[in-house]
Amino acid sequence: MASLNVLIVGGGIAGPAAAYWLSRIPSAKITLIERSSQMRASGQQLDLRVAGVDMMKKMGIEPAVRAVRCREPGTQIIDTDGRTKGYFPAAGHGGGRQSMTSEYEIMRGDLVKILYSLTENSPNVRHVYNRTVENFTQGNENDPNSKVHVIFSDGHQEDYDLVLAADGTGSKTRKIMLGPDAPDPRHRTGGYIAYFSIPSQPWDSDRSTFCQLPGPHMARTIITRKDCPELTRVYMILGKRDDSIDAALKSGDLTALKKAFADIYADDWWETKRFMRALLDTSEADDLYCTPYEEVRLPEGSWSKGRVILIGDAAHSATANGYGTSWGLIGPYLLAGELASRYEKDRPFPTVSIIEAAKKYEEIWRPVALAGHGGSAFAGSIFPPQVGGWH
Ligand SMILES: Cc1cc2nc3c(=O)[nH]c(=O)nc-3n(C[C@H](O)[C@H](O)[C@H](O)COP(=O)(O)OP(=O)(O)OC[C@H]3O[C@@H](n4cnc5c(N)ncnc54)[C@H](O)[C@@H]3O)c2cc1C
Ligand SMILES: *[C@@H]1O[C@H](CO)[C@@H](O)[C@H](O)[C@H]1NC(C)=O
Ligand SMILES: *[C@@H]1O[C@H](CO)[C@@H](O)[C@H](O)[C@H]1NC(C)=O
């Protein structure tokens, strides 16, 4: 019996979602590889929105998501003395579908675990950690039985009928697929978003709390959120690039990154002083994570090449626009549908059918997935541009 041998690179949101849908194709054999040495169940609060909520229900994980979701009552905007200036209840708490707090807020790590659990006991899905793709080549597109020849980081080689790149905004798989001469499709669209945890105080609000700081040199916003009793999560949004942050990101020096942010937020508005002291002095804040605002902009028709296909942020990332998670679940479902409808049981999957499915997937999904680019469709964003001011 001919099996469909699939490699999925990246165990974030889109990777495990794709593993789940593809595992339902008869005779599919799936390997999901993750670069980290264990499940990368980190990150802050994510929200599922609009069609992402329907998708989650379709995957049968709504009860699991409900069981761990963050009970954030809503979002408030405060002034620099901490006084509430506006309040927007969460969707499902009297707020509409477009509220800043979605009905389904969940910690990223919890969602990753739930998605992995969908295929943990599947006989046709294998999860491998501490593994990445070193390089690959593929046969001619006119050869119906061509394969993708993959060389892994540990040196071993294997052939696949299909490779899905789910390795995020900085996708290495995408780089190999596009070729050495292709320009980097990542475009900077503003400053940064960064988050860290601090020990909480009894007066920290359980609302998502936005405070825009005045100051001459750049737009700075502080947001706090609270998903558990012991910790308060502090988010920092910066409107512009900064040399010391770029240098710290490049070197991976956590202490330098902390210092760069503490320098920029070195004033006394609201509780900024307390937050920055905790950033510098407490181990809770060692989870500091920072990413520049950027978008992946690929030319039309370049989401796939032969038997290699991009999904999730690797295809269409737009940092923190509020849709990344929902889109990361929906894209793999659409692609799996296109593949499944062209798949004939017990027969090899011809190259031309895979290419057709990949093109169709891009054709239907690209216009929606790119709608949040360029700040043009911010209707449901948790960080509306007028608050962050990074455009
Ligand atoms: C650690 C982390 C924290 C995040 N925190 C937040 C957050 O707080 N809020 C928010 O809105 N969004 C966050 N994001 C982004 C968010 O998860 C994505 O925008 C979205 O869910 C789409 O998911 P994705 O699966 O396409 O990409 P990602 O979630 O980025 O997942 C990509 C996965 O691929 C792995 N990987 C990368 N390169 C390779 C490689 N070469 N080989 C093998 N594996 C590789 C990564 O370790 C990661 O597990 C975070 C992402 C990461 C990786
Ligand atoms: C990958 O393999 C191709 C073809 O053999 C080669 O041209 C390219 O340099 C290799 N790339 C890397 C990153 O090793
Ligand atoms: C990860 O894999 C590399 C080889 O690719 C190996 O040298 C290293 O020991 C592995 N690390 C863990 C934690 O398994």
Side-chain angles (χ1 to χ4, degrees), residues 37 130 153-154:
S37 53
N130 188 32
S153 46
D154 63 355

Side-chain angles (χ1 to χ4, degrees), residues 134-137 151 172 175-176 180:
E134 199 54 47
N135 202 354
F136 58 78
T137 57
I151 306 169
K172 181 180 177 186
K175 193 169 168 36
I176 301 170

Side-chain angles (χ1 to χ4, degrees), residues 7 21 28 45 53 59 64 94 151 197 200 225 227 237 259 281 284 329 349 352:
L7 176 69
W21 289 112
Q45 222 165 300
V53 172
M59 298 175 90
I151 306 169
S197 306
S200 68
R225 304 185 94 167
D227 57 274
I237 297 179
K259 187 167 181 321
D281 297 342
E284 282 86 348
L329 292 181
F349 210 146
V352 62

